[in-house]
CSV table of all heavy atoms in Angstrom, one decimal:
chain,number,residue,atom,x,y,z
Y,449,LEU,N,38.2,-198.2,25.4
Y,449,LEU,CA,39.3,-197.3,25.2
Y,449,LEU,C,40.4,-197.7,26.0
Y,449,LEU,O,40.3,-198.1,27.2
Y,449,LEU,CB,38.9,-195.8,25.5
Y,449,LEU,CG,37.8,-195.2,24.7
Y,449,LEU,CD1,36.5,-195.3,25.3
Y,449,LEU,CD2,38.1,-193.7,24.5
Y,450,PHE,N,41.6,-197.6,25.5
Y,450,PHE,CA,42.9,-198.0,26.3
Y,450,PHE,C,44.1,-197.3,25.6
Y,450,PHE,O,44.1,-197.0,24.5
Y,450,PHE,CB,43.0,-199.5,26.3
Y,450,PHE,CG,42.8,-200.2,25.0
Y,450,PHE,CD1,43.9,-200.3,24.2
Y,450,PHE,CD2,41.5,-200.6,24.6
Y,450,PHE,CE1,43.7,-200.9,22.9
Y,450,PHE,CE2,41.4,-201.2,23.4
Y,450,PHE,CZ,42.5,-201.3,22.5
Y,451,ARG,N,45.1,-197.2,26.5
Y,451,ARG,CA,46.4,-196.6,26.0
Y,451,ARG,C,47.3,-197.7,25.6
Y,451,ARG,O,47.4,-198.7,26.3
Y,451,ARG,CB,46.9,-195.8,27.1
Y,451,ARG,CG,48.0,-194.9,26.8
Y,451,ARG,CD,48.2,-193.9,27.9
Y,451,ARG,NE,49.0,-194.4,29.0
Y,451,ARG,CZ,48.8,-194.2,30.3
Y,451,ARG,NH1,47.8,-193.4,30.6
Y,451,ARG,NH2,49.5,-194.7,31.3
Y,452,ARG,N,48.0,-197.5,24.5
Y,452,ARG,CA,49.0,-198.5,24.0
Y,452,ARG,C,50.2,-198.5,24.9
Y,452,ARG,O,50.7,-197.3,25.2
Y,452,ARG,CB,49.3,-198.4,22.6
Y,452,ARG,CG,48.2,-198.6,21.6
Y,452,ARG,CD,47.8,-200.1,21.5
Y,452,ARG,NE,48.8,-201.0,21.2
Y,452,ARG,CZ,48.9,-201.6,20.0
Y,452,ARG,NH1,48.0,-201.4,19.1
Y,452,ARG,NH2,49.9,-202.5,19.8
Y,453,HIS,N,50.8,-199.6,25.2
Y,453,HIS,CA,52.1,-199.6,25.8
Y,453,HIS,C,53.2,-199.0,24.9
Y,453,HIS,O,53.1,-199.3,23.7
Y,453,HIS,CB,52.5,-201.0,26.2
Y,453,HIS,CG,53.9,-201.1,26.9
Y,453,HIS,ND1,55.0,-201.4,26.1
Y,453,HIS,CD2,54.3,-200.9,28.1
Y,453,HIS,CE1,56.1,-201.3,26.9
Y,453,HIS,NE2,55.7,-201.0,28.1
Y,454,GLY,N,54.1,-198.2,25.4
Y,454,GLY,CA,55.2,-197.8,24.5
Y,454,GLY,C,54.8,-196.5,23.7
Y,454,GLY,O,55.3,-195.4,24.0
Y,455,THR,N,53.8,-196.5,22.8
Y,455,THR,CA,53.4,-195.4,22.0
Y,455,THR,C,52.6,-194.4,22.8
Y,455,THR,O,52.4,-193.2,22.4
Y,455,THR,CB,52.7,-195.8,20.8
Y,455,THR,OG1,51.4,-196.3,21.2
Y,455,THR,CG2,53.4,-196.8,19.9
Y,456,HIS,N,51.9,-194.8,23.8
Y,456,HIS,CA,50.9,-194.1,24.6
Y,456,HIS,C,49.7,-193.6,23.7
Y,456,HIS,O,48.9,-192.8,24.1
Y,456,HIS,CB,51.5,-192.8,25.2
Y,456,HIS,CG,52.6,-193.1,26.1
Y,456,HIS,ND1,52.4,-193.7,27.3
Y,456,HIS,CD2,54.0,-192.9,26.0
Y,456,HIS,CE1,53.6,-193.8,28.0
Y,456,HIS,NE2,54.5,-193.4,27.2
Y,457,HIS,N,49.6,-194.2,22.6
Y,457,HIS,CA,48.4,-193.8,21.7
Y,457,HIS,C,47.2,-194.5,22.3
Y,457,HIS,O,47.2,-195.6,22.8
Y,457,HIS,CB,48.7,-194.5,20.3
Y,457,HIS,CG,47.6,-194.2,19.3
Y,457,HIS,ND1,47.4,-193.0,18.7
Y,457,HIS,CD2,46.6,-195.0,18.9
Y,457,HIS,CE1,46.4,-193.0,17.9
Y,457,HIS,NE2,45.8,-194.2,18.0
Y,458,VAL,N,46.1,-193.7,22.2
Y,458,VAL,CA,44.8,-194.2,22.7
Y,458,VAL,C,44.0,-194.8,21.6
Y,458,VAL,O,43.7,-194.1,20.6
Y,458,VAL,CB,44.0,-193.1,23.5
Y,458,VAL,CG1,42.6,-193.6,23.9
Y,458,VAL,CG2,44.7,-192.6,24.7
Y,459,GLY,N,43.7,-196.1,21.8
Y,459,GLY,CA,42.9,-196.8,20.8
Y,459,GLY,C,41.4,-196.8,21.3
Y,459,GLY,O,41.1,-196.8,22.5
Y,460,TYR,N,40.4,-196.7,20.3
Y,460,TYR,CA,39.1,-196.9,20.7
Y,460,TYR,C,38.4,-197.9,19.8
Y,460,TYR,O,38.6,-197.8,18.6
Y,460,TYR,CB,38.3,-195.6,20.9
Y,460,TYR,CG,38.4,-194.6,19.7
Y,460,TYR,CD1,37.5,-194.7,18.6
Y,460,TYR,CD2,39.5,-193.8,19.6
Y,460,TYR,CE1,37.6,-193.8,17.6
Y,460,TYR,CE2,39.6,-192.9,18.5
Y,460,TYR,CZ,38.6,-192.9,17.5
Y,460,TYR,OH,38.7,-192.1,16.5
Y,461,HIS,N,37.7,-198.8,20.3
Y,461,HIS,CA,37.1,-199.9,19.6
Y,461,HIS,C,35.7,-200.2,20.0
Y,461,HIS,O,35.4,-200.1,21.2
Y,461,HIS,CB,38.0,-201.1,19.7
Y,461,HIS,CG,39.3,-201.0,19.2
Y,461,HIS,ND1,39.7,-201.3,18.0
Y,461,HIS,CD2,40.4,-200.4,19.8
Y,461,HIS,CE1,41.0,-201.0,17.8
Y,461,HIS,NE2,41.5,-200.5,18.9
Y,462,GLN,N,34.9,-200.6,19.0
Y,462,GLN,CA,33.6,-201.2,19.4
Y,462,GLN,C,33.8,-202.6,20.0
Y,462,GLN,O,34.5,-203.4,19.5
Y,462,GLN,CB,32.7,-201.4,18.2
Y,462,GLN,CG,31.8,-200.2,17.9
Y,462,GLN,CD,30.8,-200.5,16.8
Y,462,GLN,OE1,31.2,-201.3,15.9
Y,462,GLN,NE2,29.6,-200.0,16.9
Y,463,ALA,N,33.2,-202.8,21.2
Y,463,ALA,CA,33.4,-204.1,21.8
Y,463,ALA,C,32.4,-205.1,21.1
Y,463,ALA,O,31.2,-205.2,21.5
Y,463,ALA,CB,33.1,-204.1,23.3
Y,464,GLY,N,32.8,-205.7,20.0
Y,464,GLY,CA,32.0,-206.7,19.4
Y,464,GLY,C,32.1,-208.0,20.1
Y,464,GLY,O,32.8,-208.1,21.1
Y,465,ASP,N,31.5,-209.1,19.5
Y,465,ASP,CA,31.5,-210.4,20.2
Y,465,ASP,C,32.9,-210.9,20.5
Y,465,ASP,O,33.1,-211.5,21.5
Y,465,ASP,CB,30.7,-211.4,19.3
Y,465,ASP,CG,29.2,-211.1,19.4
Y,465,ASP,OD1,28.8,-210.4,20.3
Y,465,ASP,OD2,28.5,-211.7,18.5
Y,466,ASP,N,33.8,-210.7,19.5
Y,466,ASP,CA,35.1,-211.3,19.6
Y,466,ASP,C,35.9,-210.6,20.8
Y,466,ASP,O,36.5,-211.3,21.6
Y,466,ASP,CB,35.9,-211.2,18.3
Y,466,ASP,CG,36.1,-209.7,17.8
Y,466,ASP,OD1,35.3,-208.9,18.2
Y,466,ASP,OD2,37.1,-209.6,17.1
Y,467,LEU,N,35.8,-209.3,20.9
Y,467,LEU,CA,36.6,-208.6,22.0
Y,467,LEU,C,35.9,-209.0,23.3
Y,467,LEU,O,36.6,-209.1,24.3
Y,467,LEU,CB,36.7,-207.1,21.7
Y,467,LEU,CG,37.5,-206.7,20.5
Y,467,LEU,CD1,37.6,-205.2,20.5
Y,467,LEU,CD2,39.0,-207.3,20.7
Y,468,LEU,N,34.6,-209.0,23.4
Y,468,LEU,CA,34.0,-209.4,24.6
Y,468,LEU,C,34.3,-210.8,25.0
Y,468,LEU,O,34.5,-211.0,26.2
Y,468,LEU,CB,32.4,-209.2,24.5
Y,468,LEU,CG,31.9,-207.8,24.3
Y,468,LEU,CD1,30.4,-207.8,24.1
Y,468,LEU,CD2,32.2,-207.0,25.6
Y,469,PHE,N,34.5,-211.6,24.1
Y,469,PHE,CA,34.9,-213.0,24.4
Y,469,PHE,C,36.3,-213.0,25.0
Y,469,PHE,O,36.6,-213.6,26.0
Y,469,PHE,CB,34.8,-213.9,23.1
Y,469,PHE,CG,35.4,-215.3,23.3
Y,469,PHE,CD1,34.7,-216.3,24.0
Y,469,PHE,CD2,36.7,-215.6,23.0
Y,469,PHE,CE1,35.2,-217.5,24.2
Y,469,PHE,CE2,37.2,-216.8,23.2
Y,469,PHE,CZ,36.5,-217.8,23.8
Y,470,ALA,N,37.2,-212.2,24.3
Y,470,ALA,CA,38.6,-212.2,24.8
Y,470,ALA,C,38.7,-211.6,26.2
Y,470,ALA,O,39.4,-212.1,27.1
Y,470,ALA,CB,39.4,-211.3,23.8
Y,471,LEU,N,37.9,-210.6,26.4
Y,471,LEU,CA,37.8,-210.0,27.8
Y,471,LEU,C,37.4,-211.0,28.8
Y,471,LEU,O,37.9,-211.1,29.9
Y,471,LEU,CB,36.9,-208.8,27.8
Y,471,LEU,CG,37.3,-207.5,27.2
Y,471,LEU,CD1,36.2,-206.5,27.2
Y,471,LEU,CD2,38.6,-207.0,27.9
Y,472,LYS,N,36.4,-211.8,28.4
Y,472,LYS,CA,35.8,-212.9,29.3
Y,472,LYS,C,36.9,-213.9,29.7
Y,472,LYS,O,37.0,-214.3,30.8
Y,472,LYS,CB,34.6,-213.5,28.6
Y,472,LYS,CG,33.7,-214.2,29.6
Y,472,LYS,CD,32.4,-214.6,28.7
Y,472,LYS,CE,31.7,-215.8,29.3
Y,472,LYS,NZ,31.1,-215.6,30.6
Y,473,VAL,N,37.7,-214.3,28.7
Y,473,VAL,CA,38.7,-215.3,28.9
Y,473,VAL,C,39.7,-214.8,30.0
Y,473,VAL,O,40.1,-215.5,30.9
Y,473,VAL,CB,39.5,-215.6,27.6
Y,473,VAL,CG1,40.7,-216.5,27.8
Y,473,VAL,CG2,38.5,-216.4,26.6
Y,474,VAL,N,40.1,-213.6,29.8
Y,474,VAL,CA,41.1,-213.0,30.7
Y,474,VAL,C,40.5,-212.7,32.1
Y,474,VAL,O,41.1,-213.0,33.2
Y,474,VAL,CB,41.7,-211.8,30.1
Y,474,VAL,CG1,42.5,-211.0,31.2
Y,474,VAL,CG2,42.6,-212.1,28.9
Y,475,ALA,N,39.2,-212.2,32.1
Y,475,ALA,CA,38.6,-211.8,33.4
Y,475,ALA,C,38.4,-213.0,34.2
Y,475,ALA,O,38.5,-213.0,35.5
Y,475,ALA,CB,37.3,-211.1,33.1
Y,476,GLU,N,38.0,-214.1,33.6
Y,476,GLU,CA,37.6,-215.3,34.4
Y,476,GLU,C,38.8,-216.3,34.5
Y,476,GLU,O,38.7,-217.3,35.3
Y,476,GLU,CB,36.4,-216.0,33.7
Y,476,GLU,CG,35.2,-215.1,33.8
Y,476,GLU,CD,34.0,-215.7,33.1
Y,476,GLU,OE1,34.0,-216.8,32.6
Y,476,GLU,OE2,32.9,-215.0,33.1
Y,477,GLY,N,39.8,-216.1,33.8
Y,477,GLY,CA,41.0,-216.9,33.9
Y,477,GLY,C,40.8,-218.3,33.5
Y,477,GLY,O,41.5,-219.2,34.0
Y,478,VAL,N,39.9,-218.5,32.6
Y,478,VAL,CA,39.7,-219.9,32.2
Y,478,VAL,C,40.4,-220.2,30.9
Y,478,VAL,O,40.6,-219.3,30.1
Y,478,VAL,CB,38.1,-220.2,31.9
Y,478,VAL,CG1,37.4,-220.3,33.2
Y,478,VAL,CG2,37.5,-219.1,31.0
Y,479,PRO,N,40.8,-221.4,30.6
Y,479,PRO,CA,41.5,-221.8,29.4
Y,479,PRO,C,40.6,-221.5,28.2
Y,479,PRO,O,39.4,-221.6,28.3
Y,479,PRO,CB,41.8,-223.2,29.5
Y,479,PRO,CG,41.7,-223.6,31.0
Y,479,PRO,CD,40.7,-222.6,31.5
Y,480,LEU,N,41.2,-221.2,27.1
Y,480,LEU,CA,40.5,-220.9,25.9
Y,480,LEU,C,39.5,-222.0,25.5
Y,480,LEU,O,38.3,-221.7,25.2
Y,480,LEU,CB,41.5,-220.6,24.7
Y,480,LEU,CG,40.8,-220.5,23.3
Y,480,LEU,CD1,40.0,-219.3,23.3
Y,480,LEU,CD2,41.9,-220.4,22.3
Y,481,VAL,N,39.9,-223.2,25.6
Y,481,VAL,CA,39.0,-224.3,25.1
Y,481,VAL,C,37.8,-224.4,26.0
Y,481,VAL,O,36.6,-224.4,25.4
Y,481,VAL,CB,39.8,-225.7,25.3
Y,481,VAL,CG1,38.9,-226.8,24.9
Y,481,VAL,CG2,41.0,-225.7,24.3
Y,482,ALA,N,37.9,-224.2,27.3
Y,482,ALA,CA,36.7,-224.2,28.2
Y,482,ALA,C,35.8,-223.0,27.9
Y,482,ALA,O,34.6,-223.1,27.9
Y,482,ALA,CB,37.2,-224.2,29.6
Y,483,ALA,N,36.4,-221.9,27.8
Y,483,ALA,CA,35.7,-220.6,27.5
Y,483,ALA,C,34.9,-220.7,26.2
Y,483,ALA,O,33.8,-220.3,26.1
Y,483,ALA,CB,36.6,-219.4,27.5
Y,484,ALA,N,35.6,-221.3,25.2
Y,484,ALA,CA,35.0,-221.4,23.9
Y,484,ALA,C,33.8,-222.3,23.9
Y,484,ALA,O,32.7,-222.1,23.3
Y,484,ALA,CB,36.0,-221.9,22.8
Y,485,ASP,N,34.0,-223.5,24.7
Y,485,ASP,CA,32.9,-224.4,24.8
Y,485,ASP,C,31.7,-223.8,25.5
Y,485,ASP,O,30.6,-224.0,25.0
Y,485,ASP,CB,33.5,-225.6,25.7
Y,485,ASP,CG,32.5,-226.8,25.7
Y,485,ASP,OD1,31.9,-227.1,24.6
Y,485,ASP,OD2,32.3,-227.3,26.8
Y,486,LEU,N,32.0,-223.1,26.6
Y,486,LEU,CA,30.9,-222.4,27.3
Y,486,LEU,C,30.2,-221.4,26.5
Y,486,LEU,O,28.9,-221.3,26.5
Y,486,LEU,CB,31.6,-221.7,28.5
Y,486,LEU,CG,30.9,-221.8,29.9
Y,486,LEU,CD1,31.1,-223.3,30.4
Y,486,LEU,CD2,31.4,-220.8,30.9
Y,487,ALA,N,30.9,-220.7,25.6
Y,487,ALA,CA,30.3,-219.6,24.8
Y,487,ALA,C,29.8,-220.2,23.5
Y,487,ALA,O,29.3,-219.4,22.7
Y,487,ALA,CB,31.3,-218.5,24.6
Y,488,ARG,N,30.0,-221.5,23.3
Y,488,ARG,CA,29.7,-222.1,22.0
Y,488,ARG,C,30.3,-221.4,20.8
Y,488,ARG,O,29.6,-221.0,19.9
Y,488,ARG,CB,28.1,-222.2,21.8
Y,488,ARG,CG,27.6,-223.1,22.9
Y,488,ARG,CD,26.1,-223.2,22.9
Y,488,ARG,NE,25.7,-223.8,24.2
Y,488,ARG,CZ,24.5,-224.1,24.4
Y,488,ARG,NH1,23.6,-224.1,23.5
Y,488,ARG,NH2,24.2,-224.6,25.6
Y,489,VAL,N,31.6,-221.2,21.0
Y,489,VAL,CA,32.3,-220.5,19.9
Y,489,VAL,C,33.4,-221.5,19.4
Y,489,VAL,O,34.0,-222.2,20.3
Y,489,VAL,CB,33.0,-219.3,20.4
Y,489,VAL,CG1,34.0,-218.7,19.5
Y,489,VAL,CG2,32.0,-218.2,20.7
Y,490,PRO,N,33.6,-221.7,18.1
Y,490,PRO,CA,34.7,-222.6,17.7
Y,490,PRO,C,36.1,-222.1,18.3
Y,490,PRO,O,36.3,-220.9,18.4
Y,490,PRO,CB,34.8,-222.4,16.2
Y,490,PRO,CG,33.4,-221.8,15.8
Y,490,PRO,CD,32.9,-221.0,17.0
Y,491,VAL,N,36.9,-223.1,18.8
Y,491,VAL,CA,38.2,-222.7,19.4
Y,491,VAL,C,39.0,-221.8,18.5
Y,491,VAL,O,39.6,-220.8,19.0
Y,491,VAL,CB,38.9,-223.9,19.8
Y,491,VAL,CG1,40.3,-223.6,20.4
Y,491,VAL,CG2,38.1,-224.8,20.8
Y,492,ALA,N,39.0,-222.1,17.2
Y,492,ALA,CA,39.9,-221.3,16.3
Y,492,ALA,C,39.4,-219.8,16.3
Y,492,ALA,O,40.2,-218.9,16.2
Y,492,ALA,CB,39.8,-221.9,14.9
Y,493,ARG,N,38.1,-219.6,16.4
Y,493,ARG,CA,37.5,-218.3,16.4
Y,493,ARG,C,37.9,-217.6,17.7
Y,493,ARG,O,38.2,-216.4,17.7
Y,493,ARG,CB,36.0,-218.3,16.2
Y,493,ARG,CG,35.6,-217.1,15.3
Y,493,ARG,CD,34.1,-217.2,15.1
Y,493,ARG,NE,33.5,-215.9,15.7
Y,493,ARG,CZ,32.2,-215.8,16.0
Y,493,ARG,NH1,31.4,-216.8,15.7
Y,493,ARG,NH2,31.8,-214.6,16.4
Side-chain angles (χ1 to χ4, degrees):
Chain Y
L449 296 94
F450 46 86
R451 190 166 82 218
R452 295 292 302 250
H453 176 268
T455 64
H456 300 290
H457 179 78
V458 174
Y460 50 94
H461 297 265
Q462 263 187 329
D465 288 344
D466 61 337
L467 291 184
L468 289 175
F469 174 80
L471 286 176
K472 202 170 151 66
V473 169
V474 168
E476 294 176 5
V478 287
L480 171 65
V481 177
D485 188 41
L486 226 71
R488 293 176 200 193
V489 166
V491 175
R493 218 180 118 195

